[in-house]
Amino acid sequence: MSLAAAAVTAHAAGTHALAAHAAPSNGSHGFLSPTGVEITFLLVGLVTFGAALVTVTTRQLVHAALWLVVALGGLAVEYLLLTAEFIAWVQVLIYVGSVVVLLLFGLMLTRAPIGRSPDADSGNRWAALAVAAVAAVTLVWVVVDAFRTTWIDLDGPAAGSTEATGESLFQNWVLPFEGLSVLLLAALVGAIVLSRKAKAEPGSPSVNSGAATGSSPSVPDSRNHPIGRNGASEGTGSGASEGTTPAEQEGAR
Amino acid sequence: MHLAYPAVLSALLFCTGLYGVLARRNAILVLMSVELMLNAVNLNLVAFDIWLSRAAEDTLHSGQALTLFTITIAAAEIGIGLAIVLAVHRNRGTSDIDRLRDTAEGHDPDHDSPAAGQAEKAEATA
């Protein structure tokens, strides 16, 4: 999360990250005669869409995260094709770099099974498929009908270069930018508070109330886990998020 | 470039994420699908910003600024979401959102037979 702010500020303060992206000039627009950029966009888009489909349908949880990398990287290439260079590199840094790593950490910390898990999809899969298909048909129809005669002009200097984005961001969007830093701070504090073990407050129901019935089968191995015990006593970071102290478990019971 | 290319790709990605949110059971896979939906929105924002910066000579670059904000908020969201999922997993032993029905209205079979519920949780832990 702090990586996001750091990346944004570092890049915006920097100079040109890339030279202007070359786009072939096309004088006349044709719907059925796509240019090279359009063909490239289409191919990368197919890869991205296929990776997204595999992400939501595969039964191997870790593979879903890895296919998500392909989808997000494909989207970064699409941003480059749209001459939005700064967004593309921010996408690579934050999504591929940190979000997917966080997701993989989450998968491993929740002891996701390696290999196929037959219950990855819930029972309402067909209803979900129907809803998604109807939404897709509707959205695609509306979008194609609305923008049938609209072309993006990709010639000239890149509209999304670091210079243009930085000027716009720090001339017109300073206040939202600073507000966003406050939001990141709030998210940081919130994540720490959530992942820290609750100090043994007698009678505080907190999040443990529902677990009181099933606590003994659910947390036996974290009790025997030395890292969890040490981390909980020190109250630091990920170690504390892994285990709970024996005293708190007594309280939960 | 025809504007329909990024718009259609964005719509398809959004619906893929929608399917994932509705059909997945693991909470982390649901978070992945939410990320797909947010990325679809980002692609739309960037494409329309590039279009409007030429067609309407818009110099605010509001689409790209909003995309940066969305990426930041998505990073914050994934941090908070994973913290919540880990807390739930620590307390319940499962991150299967179909089993977290304590606040659900109506008939809940888990409450009728607590022994079966405990067996399920033990099974989810193993």
Side-chain angles (χ1 to χ4, degrees):
Chain A
M1 285 163 293
S2 60
L3 178 66
V8 167
T9 47
H11 271 256
T15 54
H16 306 262
L18 275 185
H21 203 69
S25 60
N26 49 342
S28 62
H29 301 308
F31 184 66
L32 288 178
S33 59
T35 61
V37 177
E38 285 176 339
I39 293 173
T40 315
F41 192 95
L42 198 63
L43 292 178
V44 178
L46 282 178
V47 170
T48 306
F49 181 53
L53 278 182
V54 176
T55 301
V56 297
T57 53
T58 181
R59 295 188 183 280
Q60 309 198 18
L61 304 186
V62 181
H63 285 194
L66 296 179
W67 279 106
L68 189 67
V69 173
V70 178
L72 298 179
L75 270 174
V77 177
E78 306 281 42
Y79 292 152
L80 275 182
L81 289 175
L82 284 169
T83 70
E85 301 151 6
F86 180 65
I87 305 283
W89 297 121
V90 166
Q91 166 96 0
V92 168
L93 277 177
I94 296 189
Y95 271 109
V96 183
S98 68
V99 165
V100 173
V101 172
L102 264 181
L103 283 169
L104 281 172
F105 264 105
L107 278 178
M108 291 169 188
L109 285 178
T110 56
R111 299 187 188 82
I114 308 289
R116 304 175 67 86
S117 55
D119 57 347
D121 290 333
S122 71
N124 53 10
R125 188 161 48 131
W126 297 111
L129 191 60
V131 169
V134 168
V137 168
T138 311
L139 277 177
V140 169
W141 178 50
V142 167
V143 156
V144 168
D145 198 34
F147 302 109
R148 186 178 293 154
T149 58
T150 309
W151 274 268
I152 305 175
D153 189 11
L154 290 179
D155 300 338
S161 65
T162 310
E163 183 180 13
T165 312
E167 279 180 356
S168 143
L169 197 63
F170 289 107
Q171 282 177 2
N172 306 312
W173 301 97
V174 172
L175 193 59
F177 185 81
E178 299 295 334
L180 206 61
S181 64
V182 178
L183 182 137
L184 276 179
L185 179 67
L188 189 67
V189 174
I192 291 174
V193 167
L194 275 175
S195 60
R196 198 182 60 167
K197 62 166 182 51
K199 273 296 179 192
E201 296 172 22
S204 90
S206 69
V207 283
N208 275 336
S209 60
T213 55
S215 70
S216 35
S218 65
V219 286
D221 38 5
S222 68
R223 194 172 7 183
N224 302 331
H225 205 249
I227 296 177
R229 238 184 351 227
N230 294 337
S233 62
E234 291 164 9
T236 54
S238 63
S241 72
E242 177 64 24
T244 52
T245 60
E248 186 200 354
Q249 284 175 10
E250 294 299 328
R253 264 181 238 151
Chain B
M1 182 187 292
H2 203 288
L3 186 57
Y5 287 99
V8 167
L9 177 64
S10 164
L12 289 177
L13 277 180
F14 185 86
C15 294
T16 311
L18 181 65
Y19 168 78
V21 167
L22 292 178
R24 288 300 205 178
R25 296 178 80 176
N26 193 314
I28 294 179
L29 291 180
V30 172
L31 281 178
M32 284 185 205
S33 306
V34 171
E35 292 301 312
L36 273 180
M37 295 167 82
L38 284 170
N39 270 284
V41 174
N42 283 347
L43 180 61
N44 236 346
L45 284 173
V46 168
F48 278 85
D49 179 71
I50 303 289
W51 171 49
L52 284 178
S53 69
R54 294 296 166 78
E57 293 180 355
D58 167 42
T59 54
L60 276 180
H61 283 301
S62 47
Q64 296 192 45
L66 202 54
T67 305
L68 286 176
F69 296 163
T70 314
I71 290 177
T72 316
I73 290 175
E77 169 252 330
I78 206 77
I80 294 286
L82 277 178
I84 292 175
V85 169
L86 286 182
V88 167
H89 179 82
R90 198 169 58 208
N91 287 322
R92 302 297 185 83
T94 180
S95 56
D96 187 346
I97 51 179
D98 278 357
R99 292 186 186 165
L100 303 173
R101 291 179 178 258
D102 284 357
T103 57
E105 292 182 355
H107 180 70
D108 193 356
D110 276 357
H111 286 173
D112 294 342
S113 57
Q118 282 194 358
E120 266 188 3
K121 280 168 185 162
E123 181 187 44
T125 316

